Amino acid sequence: MSHRLTILCAGLLAAAAAFAQPTPAAAPQPSAEAGAEAAAGFIKSAQGDVRVLGTDGTGRPARPGDRVLPIDRVSTGPDSGASLVLRDGTTLVMGPESRVDLKQFHFDPTTQEGGILVSLLRGSMRMITGLIGRTQPDAVRVETQTATIGIRGTDFIVTDSGQP
C-alpha cells in the first residue's frame, strides 16, 4: 500500500483539538531545568504516555511546564496526546501514537523574526501558527517522510502513517 499524506480540516482531529487552546503571542515561560540551551517552548499539556527525547539519547516523561529544546523529539503513545507552545505563540497539538521532531526553531522577540522546521515522523499533528507564521509564513515548514509543507494558513492538521 502506498504512503498516504492527508491534510485534514481542523475539525477532523477531535481528540487532539481538546488539547488546543489558542495561545496569546506572549506565551508563559517554561519551567527551569538543568542546561544552558535556550528553550524553544514548553509542554502545555500531556495526557497518557508522552515522552521527550533529547539529542543525548535520553528520554523523559513529559509534564506540563517542561521545556522543549529546538532539537527535541516528542512522542505520544496509544490513547495519549500532548500540546506544546513555542516562544512565538505557535501551538503544536499531537494526537495518539505520534512522533514529532522540532528540527529547527529560532525567534527574536524584538524583531519578531525567526523560523520553524517541524518533522512529523508518524501520527497526527495540529499546528496553530504564532508570530512567525503570521509575519513570515515562508519561514514555517512541516516535513513528513514524503513531503514538505509550506505554510500559508495559520491553522491546519497533517497526518502521516509513518509507512513509506
Side-chain angles (χ1 to χ4, degrees):
M1 185 170 165
S2 67
H3 173 73
R4 290 185 182 187
L5 170 67
T6 307
I7 299 178
L8 305 168
C9 296
L12 295 180
L13 194 55
F19 290 97
Q21 298 297 323
T23 303
Q29 295 300 310
S31 63
E33 290 183 10
E37 191 165 359
F42 67 99
I43 302 289
K44 180 177 179 181
S45 66
Q47 290 186 345
D49 181 21
V50 180
R51 299 193 60 79
V52 176
L53 179 68
T55 57
D56 60 0
T58 59
R60 59 179 161 78
R63 295 180 316 261
D66 285 354
R67 71 185 188 141
V68 178
L69 298 177
I71 47 175
D72 281 344
R73 172 177 290 173
V74 180
S75 64
T76 60
D79 301 318
S80 301
S83 66
L84 294 74
V85 177
L86 303 180
R87 287 187 297 121
D88 75 321
T90 294
T91 300
L92 305 173
V93 182
M94 298 172 57
E97 298 190 57
S98 297
R99 185 176 300 153
V100 171
D101 281 354
L102 185 56
K103 286 186 151 183
Q104 183 183 79
F105 179 84
H106 55 92
F107 178 64
D108 182 336
T110 304
T111 63
Q112 296 185 352
E113 293 181 356
I116 301 171
L117 174 57
V118 175
S119 180
L120 176 66
L121 302 172
R122 180 181 72 206
S124 59
M125 177 187 73
R126 177 180 183 189
M127 178 184 255
I128 305 165
T129 60
L131 289 173
I132 295 172
R134 287 192 288 273
T135 60
Q136 306 166 74
D138 291 338
V140 179
R141 291 187 336 206
V142 176
E143 296 178 336
T144 68
Q145 294 195 25
T146 59
T148 299
I149 303 167
I151 308 307
R152 297 294 178 267
T154 58
D155 187 347
F156 67 93
I157 294 174
V158 62
T159 63
D160 189 326
S161 67
Q163 311 262 332

